[in-house]
Amino acid sequence: NAPELVRHCIESIKRNAGFHPVNIVSKENYLQFTDIPKYVIAKLQAGKITLTHFSDILRMNLIANNGGFWLDATIYCSQQMKEAVFEYPVYTGRNPGKDFMNISNWNWTGFAIAGWKGNSLFVAANAIFNAYWNENDELIDYYLVDYVLRLVYENVTEVKDLISQIELNNTGQMLLRQKFNMPYSAESYNDIVFGTTWLHKLSWKEKWSEKTPEGEKTMYAHWKETVEEQV
């Protein structure tokens, strides 16, 4: 029942995961992989924790307990996954020093983040979330996950060192989404999809058109044709 764009993204991950198993984590099965405290789940069910924020709690808990690579369901994987993802104790999209500020300064991307089971970053973030929701009944900030990761990054030397060692990667992760409603250009499309970026953050909530107001084929239309041919 997922939106079409989400289904295409999930299929792209399965196609490019190599021998790595792909688990689709849902409300029906997440308890199989996690040990999230009952008081957190109770607050989710009571509406005090949103599903969006619960997914932040979930990904930290999942990786702390199992290891692996968390990808949002709106990540389009355009090339074979790099094995470096699984060789680093922590791996994430990284492009620090951009000309605009965010909480992470693009040292990490919460929508694509990986690590080994028991790694300090995920264990600490999981513990902070548990402590926060043990004491609070509402979310202090939408981007709490990034504040938590930054708190750990700035105060745990081991974590800062691990993240700093990750080579710059997926620096154009927003470009495909930004160009979806623009006229299709084979050169531009190929540069984005088959260049150095292989993880692309998309959105199923925005309106994508298959034709421009002038009637030209859009980048989105070409992307859709391509992924449907690969199914």
Side-chain angles (χ1 to χ4, degrees), residues 6 8 19 22 73 76 103 125 139 152 174-175 184 208 223 231:
V6 170
H8 288 323
F19 62 86
V22 177
Y76 172 59
I103 302 159
L139 185 63
V152 180
M174 299 294 183
L175 285 178
Y184 169 65
W208 308 120
W223 174 81
V231 173

Side-chain angles (χ1 to χ4, degrees), residues 25 29-42 54 57-67 117-118 122-131:
V25 182
N29 69 4
Y30 77 91
L31 290 174
Q32 299 174 24
F33 306 101
T34 62
D35 61 357
I36 296 171
K38 290 182 179 179
Y39 61 81
V40 174
I41 296 172
F54 186 71
I57 298 170
L58 182 64
R59 71 194 69 184
M60 295 299 121
N61 188 280
L62 278 167
I63 301 175
N65 283 300
N66 306 283
K117 177 180 177 179
F122 305 100
V123 170
N126 182 57
I128 292 170
F129 275 135
N130 289 346

Side-chain angles (χ1 to χ4, degrees), residues 2-13 24-25 55 59 70-77 111-112 200-204 223:
E4 181 181 58
L5 183 143
V6 170
R7 295 199 304 271
H8 288 323
C9 286
I10 291 172
E11 287 302 318
S12 76
I13 293 167
I24 301 174
V25 182
S55 76
R59 71 194 69 184
W70 170 279
L71 291 169
D72 277 11
T74 50
I75 294 291
Y76 172 59
C77 186
F111 51 76
H200 308 267
K201 183 69 173 80
L202 306 181
S203 170
W204 64 270
W223 174 81

Side-chain angles (χ1 to χ4, degrees), residues 162-180:
L162 288 175
I163 290 178
S164 299
Q165 290 167 15
I166 302 170
E167 61 186 13
L168 271 61
N169 67 87
N170 291 291
T171 56
Q173 56 203 359
M174 299 294 183
L175 285 178
L176 184 60
R177 172 179 173 177
Q178 291 168 359
K179 292 183 178 288
F180 257 180

Side-chain angles (χ1 to χ4, degrees), residues 90 119-122 124 149 152-154 156-164:
V90 177
N119 180 269
S120 301
L121 173 63
F122 305 100
L149 291 175
V152 180
Y153 175 80
E154 291 185 346
V156 181
T157 303
E158 174 195 353
V159 169
K160 191 167 190 174
D161 289 344
L162 288 175
I163 290 178
S164 299

Side-chain angles (χ1 to χ4, degrees), residues 76-117:
Y76 172 59
C77 186
S78 62
Q79 302 172 43
Q80 191 75 13
M81 285 190 184
K82 313 301 181 186
E83 281 305 310
V85 168
F86 307 97
E87 294 168 357
Y88 283 97
V90 177
Y91 186 91
T92 183
R94 186 165 181 269
N95 188 24
K98 285 195 171 185
D99 57 1
F100 60 90
M101 287 295 295
N102 63 20
I103 302 159
S104 72
N105 193 30
W106 291 98
N107 274 300
W108 59 82
T109 51
F111 51 76
I113 190 165
W116 294 351
K117 177 180 177 179

Side-chain angles (χ1 to χ4, degrees), residues 79 82 168-172 191-199:
Q79 302 172 43
K82 313 301 181 186
L168 271 61
N169 67 87
N170 291 291
T171 56
D191 283 347
I192 294 170
V193 171
F194 302 114
T196 58
T197 295
W198 51 282
L199 294 175

